[in-house]
Amino acid sequence: MDHLGFIAAVYGSTFVVIVALVVRTVAQGRALASKVADKDKPWT
Amino acid sequence: MSTVVDFRDAVVVFNGFPALAEASIEVQQGEIVLLQGPNGAGKTTLLRACAGLLPIVRGEASVLGVDLCVDRQSVRPRVGLLGHANGLFADLTIGENVLFWAQMVGASNVEVAATLQRFGIDGRLSQQKVMQLSAGQKRRCALACLVVRRAELWLLDEPHAGLDASARDEIDAIIREACAAGATVLIASHELERARGLATRSVSVVAGRVVS
Amino acid sequence: MNVQTFNARVATPTTRLVGAMAIASMAWVVLGGLFVTPKDVDQGDAVRIMYVHVPTAWVAYLAFIVTAVASACWLLSRKHSMGFDRVAGASAEVGVIFMAMTLLSGSLWGRITWGAFWAWDPRLTTTAFLLVTYIGYLAVRGLGGSLEQRARRSAVIALLAVLEIPLVHFSVLLWRSLHQNASVLSGDGDIKMDGSMLTTLLVGVIGFTCTFAWLVMHRQRVLAMQDAMEMTQLDAALRERANESSRLK
Amino acid sequence: MSTQLSLGRVARAVAAKDLRIEMRSRVVINQVFPFAGLVMVMFAFALDNDDVLTRVAGGLVWLATLFSLIIIIQRSFAVDTADGALEAQRVAGLDPAGIFIGKALAVMMQLVTLEVVLFLAAIVLYRVQLQSDGVVLLVTCVISATAGLSFVGTLYGGLTAGARGRETLLPLLMLPVVAPVLIGATRATESAFMSGGAAVSDGWPWVGVLVVFAAVFGLGGILSFGSLIEE
């Protein structure tokens, strides 16, 4: 595969950023959800 | 006689802090009400809320018959607020400052001249830039701006601060005169002796609540 | 403070389904994009960048549209429901990150195909301006003040951005068309796609859109809980002030 | 009993007030004008080539104008927020659209004066030639571009007035928005100067862009200024 470095950089950076974003969102959600009353969570 | 200010359990939040915590107060037309209380009790917030500047988070509040929870705009031209800041343009002269507000309500030059004279800031003094004035002179100039606006409800935050005795007497006279003409006045002041003599009623503001 | 425990889950069946779809299609994109699909006749293996670059760009633009629509809904709805404001904010946050990724992957791709990281192409320039405008939008959201003030200000800024972006795009378009031959993008870079390439690209768009939807839903719930926390703290502060006033009286 | 004033009278009074403050304090004339002139000289140092300078003179003039716009807008709102006068105007119930138009008009007058000086500086320092048939284009371009810049500047100046970090936030918000003005005004000015072999007629489409821009943001400001300065 030519340009392997470029292709790896694109795939790597994109998916690392997405995974980091997902992990951060889940962590924030967990931390807050344990403190906020269920009545303030209309989706539950 | 109509109710001018009517707050029922009103909550006003300032920087995340409930500066007014379920405050209730009722003021009738023609009253001069003194708000007393320590710094940080919520006097300034109460005055600013009455002017429609701050949103009412909970409770009910109406001023001059306008529900502040629904409409904070239409009441504003009818109230005059003199806060900690004077609201003056430092680079303009006294005369020009007063004239700016006079233009906004369509007051005549004769009225402006009369007001300036009554406040003792006419003649040469009125040609001075505001930045060259003493604190007391600035305060008088700010009050003059309020007078030309012909407000129905006066909200005065420490109007006596930084003034000498004769200027304080003048301000008291002006407030009484405005009141006789039908205006309603709310004063926050630390000059308790003087303000009690002026006020028809006094209430305490304690920790964001109004206590009579 | 108290030992009361709450349901610590933010996910719901809907977000789980969306998340599962996102993971499945992402796996397809990686496998298909890197190994299954053939090389392009002109571009060779560089065409594989397309399978993530095009979907991220699509999501970035979608995020901008969602923010604008949610802001308009907030301004127009009689109740000024804060849900619209939170969706607008959540979408903008996700959009900024995807737009930055788009510019990064695009410039790497450009380095291979045009030999330059950057070209003054209207589409590129508009995307860069979108990124800066969005960063400004988020800065306005962080200015402080009441929830309503935040919602009103940021909704106005989002709608002003809708006025700004077409003007930027059009003026760059006019600028380039007057001074240069048509942009590098429409040059020899045309990609002839076969079935597997087209399918992989399509799956990529679906997968990234699911990821965007999942992120916005979760982020919006986090924002809702943050706002709820603020209200709880306000209640506590009110109780405290009530105690204070009865003590001082 | 106070009466609500018409938009036109509020705008006129606010513009007159802002211009009078500038005439008294001379902050823009004594500080912003020399600053803009200094920027023009610095460009010459940086580019260090007479032919290049003549070729890009239009862009340099508009860049210097943009930098000065940031300072002028900050000054324009500093006089209002220094002693709570902006809040006083809100309490007085002045029509926000009137305040917006008034302040934008005052900014426009200051900017046009600045641009005249900068164009004279470009003729002297950068040796650009202005033929008589370019004058009409240049004047139209200056007026429409300045209108757009003043509207955008006043809009975002009002939003950031009194906010924390306003010195840095204002350029971040404002500069991306005025990019079309920079592109359009520069191209039109280059046509007026006939730099790089451009024809005067090439500039007119750009004036169209500038006029549309000014109209869009003038209208946007009138509609939204109240929401932006409100607490």
Side-chain angles (χ1 to χ4, degrees), chain B residues 110-129:
Chain B
V110 181
E111 272 176 276
V112 173
T115 312
L116 287 175
Q117 196 181 9
R118 222 183 50 225
F119 279 85
I121 44 179
D122 54 340
R124 272 185 55 100
L125 193 55
S126 76
Q127 303 302 314
Q128 293 244 300
K129 283 190 187 180

Side-chain angles (χ1 to χ4, degrees), chain B residues 1 25-36 172 175-180 183-187 192-203 212:
Chain B
M1 193 172 278
I25 184 173
E26 208 173 301
V27 178
Q28 304 298 323
Q29 200 213 333
E31 277 191 293
I32 303 178
V33 177
L34 166 68
L35 308 172
Q36 51 185 20
D172 291 355
I175 291 172
R176 284 202 186 91
E177 203 177 300
C179 197
T184 312
V185 185
L186 272 174
I187 305 179
L192 293 182
E193 286 308 312
R194 171 176 292 278
R196 279 199 189 112
L198 176 67
T200 54
R201 177 159 73 99
S202 80
V203 297
S212 16

Side-chain angles (χ1 to χ4, degrees), chain B residues 48 53-54 72-73 76-77 85-89 91-93 96 100-101 103-104 106 129 149-150 152, chain D residues 1-2 5 9 13 17 20-21 24-25 75 80 83-85 87-92 94 230-231:
Chain B
R48 284 166 54 85
L53 278 175
L54 300 172
R72 290 190 282 124
Q73 313 286 335
R76 288 182 190 173
N86 288 316
L88 300 173
F89 303 105
D91 291 301
L92 298 184
T93 66
E96 287 163 341
F100 175 73
W101 292 109
Q103 281 175 330
M104 295 303 179
K129 283 190 187 180
R149 282 194 34 221
R150 290 171 288 186
E152 291 167 66
Chain D
M1 181 76 209
S2 325
L5 260 198
R9 278 183 64 184
K17 178 259 300 173
R20 181 169 290 139
I21 288 176
R24 290 285 155 71
S25 67
R75 165 70 187 162
D80 276 344
D83 193 23
E87 185 177 278
Q89 289 170 53
R90 283 199 283 130
V91 179
L94 298 194
E230 190 57 45
E231 241 170 280

Side-chain angles (χ1 to χ4, degrees), chain C residues 2-248:
Chain C
N2 46 14
V3 282
Q4 196 182 355
T5 51
F6 297 113
N7 182 1
R9 296 253 157 217
V10 186
T12 50
T14 322
T15 59
R16 285 207 190 91
L17 179 68
V18 174
M21 278 167 63
I23 291 173
S25 37
M26 289 305 202
W28 182 325
V29 170
V30 173
L31 291 176
L34 288 180
F35 306 111
V36 179
T37 51
K39 289 184 187 185
D40 182 65
V41 189
D42 296 322
Q43 295 208 359
D45 282 317
V47 75
R48 303 190 189 284
I49 292 177
M50 174 183 74
Y51 304 117
V52 295
H53 173 74
V54 171
T56 40
W58 150 254
V59 164
Y61 279 87
L62 179 67
F64 179 65
I65 294 167
V66 169
T67 300
V69 171
S71 301
C73 286
W74 186 87
L75 280 175
L76 294 179
S77 70
R78 181 94 40 92
K79 265 183 64 197
H80 287 324
S81 154
M82 281 300 152
F84 287 126
D85 174 59
R86 290 192 283 259
V87 169
S91 176
E93 286 174 10
V94 179
V96 162
I97 293 170
F98 274 74
M99 234 163 247
M101 290 195 297
T102 306
L103 288 173
L104 178 70
S105 59
S107 66
L108 288 176
W109 195 11
R111 183 71 184 79
I112 302 174
T113 51
W114 325 319
F117 285 110
W118 183 260
W120 290 103
D121 170 83
R123 234 186 313 176
L124 282 181
T125 314
T126 306
T127 311
F129 271 90
L130 263 177
L131 177 64
V132 180
T133 307
Y134 253 26
I135 292 173
Y137 170 86
L138 291 181
V140 170
R141 289 189 74 84
L143 272 182
S146 65
L147 290 183
E148 200 219 325
Q149 187 184 12
R150 180 190 76 187
R152 182 161 18 81
R153 271 178 175 169
S154 49
V156 170
I157 293 297
L159 293 184
L160 285 174
V162 174
L163 298 181
E164 168 208 344
I165 292 303
L167 281 164
V168 169
H169 189 78
F170 177 71
S171 53
V172 178
L173 203 68
L174 192 57
W175 168 40
R176 293 281 85 174
S177 68
L178 284 181
H179 278 248
Q180 278 187 359
N181 301 332
S183 76
V184 253
L185 273 190
S186 53
D188 54 341
D190 275 4
I191 299 160
K192 288 148 203 77
M193 291 212 257
D194 74 359
S196 69
M197 295 167 82
L198 208 58
T199 315
T200 307
L201 184 61
L202 195 67
V203 171
V205 168
I206 293 170
F208 275 77
T209 309
C210 287
T211 312
F212 168 74
W214 187 94
L215 281 169
V216 170
M217 280 193 279
H218 268 251
R219 184 69 192 143
Q220 186 263 339
R221 287 170 189 178
V222 168
L223 293 177
M225 288 191 289
Q226 275 173 359
D227 292 351
M229 278 289 274
E230 232 167 78
M231 286 323 246
T232 324
Q233 279 160 1
L234 180 62
D235 280 330
L238 277 176
R239 273 198 304 279
E240 206 173 294
R241 290 215 90 174
N243 293 338
E244 198 185 331
S245 71
S246 55
R247 200 174 62 238
L248 288 172

